[in-house]
Amino acid sequence: MTQLDEKAKPILPATGENRPLYWVTREAARRALIALHAIALLVVLIELAMPFGADGHGVERVHALEFPASYAIYGFIACVVLVLLGRALRRVVMRDERYYRSED
Amino acid sequence: MREEAFPLLLDAPALLGGVPPAWLFFAGALLATLLRGQGQGLLPRAVMLATPIVGLVNLLTITPGTSFTLDVLDLELVQLRADRLSLLFGLLFHIGAFLGAIYALRARDTPQHVAALVYGGSALGAVFAGDLLTLFCYWEGMAVSSAFLVWARRTPESNVAGVRYLALHLASGLLLLAGALLIYRETGDIAFDWIGTGGMAGWLILAAFGIKCGFPLVHNWITDAYPQSTPSGTVFLSMFTTKVAVYALARGFAGTELLVPIGTLMAVFPIFYAVIENDLRRVLGYSMINQIGFMVAGVGIGTELALNGAVAHAFNEVLFKGLLFMTMGAVLLRVGHVLGSDLGGLYRSMPWTTVFCAVGAASISAFPLFSGFVSKSMIMAAMVEAGHDWLWLALLFASAGVFHHAGIKIPYFAFFAHDSGLKTREAPSNMLVAMGLAAAGCLLVGLFPNALYTLLPWQTDYVPYTYPHVIVQLQLLLFSALAFAWLQLSGIYPAELRSVNLDTDWLYRHAGRRAAEALHAALRAGADAVRGAARVADQPLALLVGPRGLLAGPIGTGTAVLLASLLLAGYLLLYYVGEGG
């Protein structure tokens, strides 16, 4: 007996963009992507316009990252490296979803 | 550690006289059991909801320094050792149990509710335990009661996962007991204070805590068992066991340098698995190991800032990880699974769940104004102060990674991505209330960090909201999001696929099983060989004493008398020989 809701019925159509919170359309997604780029750029520009000061007071970081936009560059590279290594890991460890089923 | 009373202390005289918090939960569990089936199953659920409230009132009358001791044989078993560290975890577990109870309110499953109460009580017992034997008893209580929460799903998968889970946790308990006995033999005292790794006992207890914490190689029980439990079972599971382990590490192994690299490894390696995992509750399991890694590293540094950070992050994780497990539990309830490959577009039918998931995602990602930001940064700052530059860079990598898989992947693949064609309903109202309260907690801590900082065990003047800190954190997160968007659009991001990813459980679920089968076959062959040899040896004997042997046939009276006489003569002979000697 699972807690799966047996009575779950399709009571809402998958459309209805005029309902509250039903705002994500393809166009909205495109605009959100543009906004993401704009805000990311803005945050870097803010740092360039108002540098943190020589001692970087207010945030503890290692010397290796004491240059402008360092966190932006590190974050971007980190995620690309993460995904590429994840893809490599998948080649080693991924199996069919029934892999353990016969043994359990 | 701060000596002054808890800021939330109730002024009223002790209403319940400072009862050990665990006992109230056990009483609640007993009452719920006795009321089973009463009021159409409503009464046990009312008890489950009321227990954390009564418990909280009791907790807030306890001042630091209070203790409650049972004398058993010549041992003093400290059931209640109240200081700022144990009281903070006590408060946290009451909040967690209350949110979990609201979330579970709709499930008509008294055994599950009773298991949750016993589990919460055992967790409270463990954090208030003042000696190692009491800690061991509650440690085992947690193991057994939480296994029942895994089994509560009542599927073949949850049954076997629960057995694997229990085996590992009982092993942890045995290691703890062995360490405690060694300490008792060496010192004659079983008080649970700082232990360290100075002797064999320390290493045994560190291993026991490490299993419960999800140290690398013994981490797999989290990702194996948690995705198999019920929607509410997983919420309870995510709140207690690993947090008790972090508490125990902070109490017994603060400043143990080895914990810094171990914690960093825990923070880094699960994010690779999380990126390729399809079961979204398992993704949260990996994410949990990642977050505990930050706490373990903080405990390893051992400064007041680091320990405060570790404890504060544990507090926040109960809220935001509990919230994320709640949102995925709601999806599980409504859709029947949480496979990223088959979900998508649920924001239309589950808008509130989507919003709450986004709050949990922002909190775990440490976005400014959300709870993770004000606690994780304490650990990061302490890492730099302690001079762990390389490990700090690894933790920053893990911070970007956690945003990638928990912050973006979970909400994106469940609620957006593509239109999966799934049409369902919003989560039930009790679940929405629980999620709403947890989300409010995440925001409250994020907006007013001093509310949490005043509860912390050690004095702190840490200021999270500085101009550089907000800017660098936004840079890290926004450019991680950009990387996700670009990789997703270019098709490089690994697609969600129905699959199993081999992890250390492969060692006992596959390799160990093969080895056991091979050993069994070898033993069986050996036994067959011995049996064959015995059969060969049997044959000459069978001629004499077998069913058709010489002695088996009928013999006459004369022969019998002759044999008896020979026997007596032989006896007589032996007697004389003996006398002669």
Side-chain angles (χ1 to χ4, degrees):
Chain A
M1 186 185 75
T2 68
Q3 287 190 4
L4 170 61
D5 188 0
E6 302 294 346
K7 288 179 286 187
K9 286 179 197 153
I11 60 166
L12 287 174
T15 56
E17 274 145 28
N18 49 358
R19 293 180 70 98
L21 287 165
Y22 284 14
W23 44 270
V24 180
T25 60
R26 190 166 288 276
E27 176 57 24
R30 199 179 65 84
R31 263 182 270 151
L33 205 57
I34 292 171
L36 175 65
H37 280 78
I39 297 170
L41 191 65
L42 182 69
V43 176
V44 171
L45 289 177
I46 289 175
E47 191 201 336
L48 295 178
M50 290 189 286
F52 300 152
D55 58 348
H57 181 70
V59 62
E60 304 279 355
R61 54 178 172 176
V62 298
H63 294 303
L65 287 193
E66 282 177 358
F67 60 90
S70 55
Y71 280 65
I73 296 166
Y74 191 83
F76 189 87
I77 293 174
C79 283
V80 173
V81 168
L82 168 63
V83 166
L84 294 180
L85 288 179
R87 284 171 66 101
L89 179 68
R90 186 173 247 185
R91 272 189 221 114
V92 179
V93 299
M94 193 171 84
R95 297 289 183 277
D96 187 85
E97 64 174 333
R98 287 159 300 185
Y99 181 76
Y100 287 123
R101 212 162 282 176
S102 58
E103 311 196 30
D104 291 340
Chain B
M1 204 182 291
R2 289 177 181 172
E3 298 285 328
E4 72 265 34
F6 220 39
L8 299 167
L9 192 79
L10 293 180
D11 265 345
L15 298 170
L16 296 156
V19 179
W23 295 8
L24 287 177
F25 274 66
F26 295 153
L30 187 65
L31 192 60
T33 310
L34 294 174
L35 292 174
R36 188 179 180 186
Q38 300 292 312
Q40 296 175 325
L42 281 174
L43 284 180
R45 284 183 270 167
V47 169
M48 178 179 65
L49 197 59
T51 303
I53 299 173
V54 175
L56 191 61
V57 172
N58 172 54
L59 182 85
L60 294 180
T61 62
I62 300 173
T63 50
T66 310
S67 72
F68 185 98
T69 306
L70 290 179
D71 288 323
V72 178
L73 302 175
D74 59 342
L75 292 173
E76 280 194 352
L77 301 183
V78 184
Q79 297 294 306
L80 176 63
R81 180 248 310 262
D83 58 17
R84 290 293 292 264
L85 184 59
S86 58
L87 283 170
L88 178 67
F89 276 85
L91 175 69
L92 176 61
F93 289 168
H94 279 85
I95 295 171
F98 180 62
L99 293 177
I102 297 175
Y103 188 79
L105 212 52
R106 189 171 164 276
R108 294 188 176 196
D109 187 359
T110 305
Q112 188 187 160
H113 301 327
V114 169
L117 283 174
V118 174
Y119 178 39
S122 303
L124 283 166
V127 298
F128 284 107
D131 66 275
L132 290 166
L133 200 58
T134 304
L135 179 70
F136 164 76
C137 293
Y138 288 119
W139 201 259
E140 294 294 52
M142 270 200 304
V144 175
S145 54
S146 57
F148 277 94
L149 285 178
V150 180
W151 289 322
R153 184 95 174 270
R154 299 178 176 90
T155 60
E157 289 82 12
S158 69
N159 288 349
V160 288
V163 172
R164 287 193 293 268
Y165 171 91
L166 186 60
L168 210 53
H169 282 262
L170 291 181
S172 162
L174 288 177
L175 288 168
L176 174 58
L177 182 63
L181 290 176
L182 277 181
I183 287 180
Y184 182 64
R185 199 182 62 176
E186 285 163 16
T187 65
D189 186 22
I190 50 167
F192 174 33
D193 291 310
W194 192 82
I195 300 167
T197 50
M200 184 67 188
W203 287 106
L204 287 172
I205 295 176
L206 182 63
F209 293 175
I211 291 176
K212 279 257 201 289
C213 241
F215 277 10
L217 302 180
V218 284
H219 63 278
N220 205 221
W221 59 268
I222 296 175
T223 52
D224 183 21
Y226 283 12
Q228 301 296 349
S229 181
T230 60
S232 54
T234 306
V235 171
F236 281 113
L237 288 168
S238 75
M239 287 175 169
F240 297 134
T241 300
T242 48
K243 305 307 169 296
V244 169
V246 168
Y247 161 84
L249 276 183
R251 174 81 69 189
F253 294 93
T256 302
E257 196 72 6
L258 178 67
L259 293 177
V260 184
I262 289 179
T264 307
L265 189 59
M266 286 174 72
V268 172
F269 89 87
I271 60 179
F272 297 103
Y273 270 98
V275 164
I276 58 173
E277 177 57 52
N278 189 31
D279 183 317
L280 295 183
R281 290 206 298 172
R282 187 163 289 132
V283 172
L284 288 178
Y286 280 114
S287 157
M288 191 163 190
I289 302 167
N290 157 281
Q291 294 297 307
I292 299 162
F294 282 91
M295 300 169 212
V296 171
V299 171
I301 298 166
T303 59
E304 292 194 352
L305 176 65
L307 289 170
N308 267 341
V311 171
H313 205 50
F315 190 98
N316 286 336
E317 215 225 357
V318 165
L319 291 179
F320 61 62
K321 190 54 61 61
L323 173 58
L324 287 169
F325 269 120
M326 284 182 201
T327 61
M328 289 302 108
V331 171
L332 176 67
L333 176 76
R334 286 308 193 207
V335 179
H337 67 81
V338 280
L339 300 177
S341 55
D342 298 20
L343 290 176
L346 287 178
Y347 75 91
R348 291 195 182 98
S349 41
M350 305 180 83
W352 284 109
T353 308
T354 308
V355 169
F356 294 139
C357 184
V359 173
S363 301
I364 194 174
S365 311
F367 250 98
L369 306 182
F370 294 87
S371 60
F373 180 76
V374 306
S375 52
K376 196 198 275 183
S377 51
M378 296 172 95
I379 302 171
M380 297 297 280
M383 283 285 273
V384 175
E385 280 180 6
H388 294 293
D389 285 16
W390 287 105
L391 296 179
W392 182 88
L393 282 169
L395 282 187
L396 194 65
F397 175 77
S399 296
V402 71
F403 178 50
H404 211 79
H405 70 255
I408 305 178
K409 174 174 170 160
I410 294 277
Y412 180 75
F413 284 109
F415 299 107
F416 302 103
H418 61 282
D419 188 354
S420 60
L422 291 167
K423 297 173 192 69
T424 181
R425 295 183 295 165
E426 181 55 276
S429 53
N430 66 305
M431 290 189 170
L432 289 177
V433 169
M435 288 188 265
L437 288 173
C442 292
L443 277 166
L444 189 74
V445 173
L447 292 170
F448 308 105
N450 282 331
L452 175 61
Y453 291 169
T454 54
L455 299 177
L456 293 177
W458 293 272
Q459 203 71 42
T460 180
D461 54 0
Y462 183 74
V463 181
Y465 288 108
T466 63
Y467 161 65
H469 186 204
V470 171
I471 290 293
V472 295
Q473 186 67 9
L474 283 175
Q475 283 183 6
L476 185 80
L477 297 177
L478 288 169
F479 278 82
S480 299
L482 271 188
F484 178 85
W486 287 13
L487 292 165
Q488 182 76 22
L489 290 174
S490 64
I492 296 173
Y493 195 86
E496 297 295 291
L497 298 173
R498 287 186 163 212
S499 57
V500 162
N501 294 313
L502 304 186
D503 200 338
T504 50
D505 58 343
W506 180 84
L507 289 173
Y508 45 87
R509 292 175 76 178
H510 186 89
R513 195 189 176 97
R514 292 279 173 278
E517 281 170 358
L519 184 66
H520 181 241
L523 287 176
R524 180 166 228 161
D528 284 347
V530 169
R531 210 173 289 134
R535 212 171 288 134
V536 171
D538 266 357
Q539 282 167 4
L541 273 178
L543 290 175
L544 188 64
V545 295
R548 291 158 200 266
L550 277 176
L551 298 180
I555 52 171
T557 315
T559 315
V561 169
L562 179 66
L563 284 174
S565 309
L566 282 175
L567 204 65
L568 284 172
Y571 175 71
L572 205 61
L573 196 65
L574 282 175
Y575 178 76
Y576 279 124
V577 170
E579 281 291 291

